[in-house]
Amino acid sequence: MQKENEEMEKVELLIGRILQIGVIVSAIIIVLGIALWLIQGGSGYSNGIFPHRFWTVTSGVLVFKPYAVVMLGIFCLILTPVLRVVVSIYAFAKEHDQLYVWITTIVLVILLIGMYIGYLGK
């Protein structure tokens, strides 16, 4: 019983650490994008043309286009709670709490469907 409690405490600390690291990394990427924007004097794209797809953002990041770097930071920020849900599924499975494993899995599926629908709608 004591070992299980210690393990769950470790998982809870991991979940908290994931959220902290995700927000910090996202903030750093966004600040770098804003700094690039100020240094380059623009977004790196023609007026009114901005990347909305993952691969166009990725190719923009590879050539240091400021808007693409900011979008990457926002993408990382959006993925942070999704990763937290994935780790929560693991934590509930470790506790042998099947009800919460199913509920959290349904939440993950809903998140993924929502992200896919958003991706389709640009």
Side-chain angles (χ1 to χ4, degrees):
M1 184 75 161
Q2 179 68 18
K3 186 175 181 173
E4 252 182 50
N5 288 340
E6 289 176 13
E7 192 167 332
M8 287 317 302
E9 194 171 306
K10 287 179 185 178
V11 171
E12 289 172 8
L13 289 173
L14 175 65
I15 290 171
R17 185 68 65 203
I18 286 171
L19 293 174
Q20 289 174 338
I21 291 171
V23 169
I24 290 169
V25 167
S26 299
I28 290 170
I29 293 170
I30 291 170
V31 167
L32 287 174
I34 291 171
L36 278 173
W37 200 308
L38 294 174
I39 292 167
Q40 292 182 10
S43 68
Y45 292 94
S46 303
N47 290 336
I49 299 173
F50 298 105
H52 297 294
R53 300 286 184 191
F54 179 77
W55 298 114
T56 55
V57 169
T58 303
S59 63
V61 168
L62 293 175
V63 293
F64 299 105
K65 291 188 177 187
Y67 184 86
V69 174
V70 171
M71 289 296 292
L72 176 66
I74 292 170
F75 182 70
C76 289
L77 189 62
I78 290 169
L79 285 182
T80 299
V82 175
L83 183 57
R84 188 235 188 266
V85 171
V86 170
V87 173
S88 294
I89 292 170
Y90 168 76
F92 291 133
K94 211 61 169 147
E95 287 181 349
H96 305 290
D97 193 341
Q98 294 302 314
L99 176 63
Y100 281 103
V101 168
W102 282 106
I103 290 171
T104 312
T105 301
I106 291 169
V107 169
L108 178 63
V109 169
I110 291 169
L111 283 170
L112 294 175
I113 289 171
M115 290 171 69
Y116 183 71
I117 290 171
Y119 180 77
L120 291 178
K122 294 184 186 176

